[in-house]
Amino acid sequence: MALDSSRTIHGSKGKVLIDGVWQTNLTETTAEVELDKKELNLVGDEWTRYKQGNKKGTGSMNGYKVTSDMIKRGFKRFEIISCLEDPEAYGYERIRLKNCMADKLQLINLKANELVEEETPFTFEGYEFLDEIVAE
């Protein structure tokens, strides 16, 4: 079956909410989970085996500086809900990131004749699907 291009999801149809407040200034947000796998090398086995270890959630929010909210929040924990809501897609997806915390705060970022942009890298401690996209 050929790909129906109308079903691909356009990133500008997404929204990011921090503690329930829509962040209209963001231009990019990413989040990923990395698994720390432990190698098992056994006598008589020519394959390296793997045991699951801990998971690590990291992400970043980038956008235009509009308020001092991220600086005021400091390193207090917050929640992120990401929404993908392209009306041509098979549905919409919402993912909640739990126990988010900024890794660093950008206090000053000025350059003459340019808009001020802000980057906030963060970690999180769990996620859950609130809604998922399923092909028909």
Side-chain angles (χ1 to χ4, degrees):
M1 177 167 97
L3 170 68
D4 179 354
S5 62
S6 69
R7 299 298 188 169
T8 59
I9 299 169
H10 200 288
S12 54
K13 302 293 185 183
K15 289 183 185 177
V16 174
L17 294 93
I18 296 179
D19 289 336
V21 178
W22 182 16
Q23 304 299 300
T24 59
N25 61 310
L26 294 179
T27 58
E28 180 181 2
T29 303
T30 62
E32 60 188 25
V33 177
E34 183 178 343
L35 178 64
D36 178 24
K37 294 187 281 187
K38 305 296 182 187
E39 284 190 10
L40 300 171
N41 295 303
L42 305 170
V43 174
D45 190 345
E46 61 185 34
W47 285 94
T48 299
R49 307 296 174 168
Y50 297 93
K51 175 74 175 170
Q52 286 190 13
N54 291 336
K55 297 177 185 115
K56 179 179 180 181
T58 59
S60 181
M61 295 180 289
N62 302 304
Y64 298 107
K65 184 172 182 76
V66 178
T67 68
S68 301
D69 287 349
M70 290 309 292
I71 296 171
K72 286 178 13 185
R73 176 176 280 111
F75 297 102
K76 295 178 191 158
R77 293 184 185 272
F78 56 95
E79 175 180 283
I80 294 176
I81 295 180
S82 168
C83 309
L84 284 174
E85 300 174 338
D86 190 330
E88 291 184 315
Y90 284 113
Y92 58 95
E93 177 181 87
R94 292 186 313 137
I95 298 175
R96 178 169 74 112
L97 304 180
K98 303 175 184 180
N99 294 315
C100 302
M101 189 183 325
D103 292 342
K104 65 181 179 177
L105 299 175
Q106 184 173 295
L107 300 178
I108 300 171
N109 179 19
L110 302 174
K111 190 171 184 180
N113 203 32
E114 290 193 14
L115 296 173
V116 176
E117 295 187 25
E118 197 170 43
E119 178 182 2
T120 306
F122 62 90
T123 55
F124 60 94
E125 299 171 353
Y127 69 93
E128 71 174 306
F129 271 111
L130 300 175
D131 297 290
E132 59 184 287
I133 300 171
V134 179
E136 298 172 346

